[in-house]
Amino acid sequence: GKNASRPALVGLHALFGWLFGHGFSGGRALLTVLSFWLLGTTGALYLQGSQLLVQAENPDRYCSNIDPSLFAADVLLPVIDLGQEENCQLATSSTDLRDAKLNVEWFGRDYIMFSKVGIAAYALALYRLSGWILFSLALATWSGIFKRSGRSP
């Protein structure tokens, strides 16, 4: 009911206050975006080092021709295309599929769960979605939308 969503809203409000100063702190917004970009750069380094990224035009070759920090920024920023993400894709190797920890049959189809590539795909999608949200909130903070709305911290 109505009270069940209250703790979630309080938690989101507190998180928004901590990450963006309730929309009034441009410095916190910058720090949030930069911290998340560094997290993505670390993830891109892991994907490259684990040979989970392959070249888009030649899936048999590992993708070593990208800059991990630019790749992370390309995935993070929804409005800017840095041209890194189109060069590489996640590998789908038979070894990874064979080493999968859980195979699930659902409606007559087999789904492979908890493989390295599967987890990487979910992490990349979560990073992309979070980037869209965080960058949009940062833009709103920097533009002063929250100040003009008459809100106070």
Side-chain angles (χ1 to χ4, degrees):
K2 192 173 187 179
N3 291 334
S5 64
R6 180 114 173 98
L9 289 176
V10 169
L12 284 175
H13 184 66
L15 185 64
F16 181 61
W18 188 66
L19 295 177
F20 297 97
H22 298 286
F24 291 100
S25 178
R28 279 194 193 178
L30 181 63
L31 187 61
T32 297
V33 171
L34 287 177
S35 298
F36 206 66
W37 169 68
L38 286 174
L39 177 70
T41 301
T42 304
L45 282 168
Y46 172 77
L47 291 176
Q48 228 178 5
S50 300
Q51 299 179 336
L52 292 175
L53 285 178
V54 294
Q55 294 178 2
E57 69 275 354
N58 187 1
D60 294 331
R61 298 193 65 197
Y62 296 113
C63 196
S64 59
N65 60 341
I66 62 160
D67 181 351
S69 61
L70 287 177
F71 183 81
D74 198 13
V75 175
L76 176 69
L77 302 173
V79 293
I80 301 172
D81 182 18
L82 300 175
Q84 297 290 305
E85 196 175 1
E86 63 194 27
N87 293 333
C88 298
Q89 65 187 18
L90 287 175
T92 54
S93 67
S94 58
T95 304
D96 188 52
L97 299 179
R98 190 175 58 246
D99 292 341
K101 302 295 184 225
L102 178 65
N103 295 334
V104 177
E105 183 178 335
W106 196 44
F107 292 110
R109 294 190 63 189
D110 285 330
Y111 294 93
I112 299 169
M113 314 248 324
F114 303 118
S115 66
K116 283 184 185 179
V117 172
I119 292 171
Y122 284 118
L124 196 61
L126 182 64
Y127 179 73
R128 179 178 289 114
L129 178 65
S130 300
W132 290 346
I133 294 168
L134 290 176
F135 193 70
S136 297
L137 289 172
L139 282 177
T141 299
W142 294 324
S143 70
I145 286 176
F146 299 112
K147 290 177 186 175
R148 288 192 293 261
S149 71
R151 285 189 60 218
S152 61

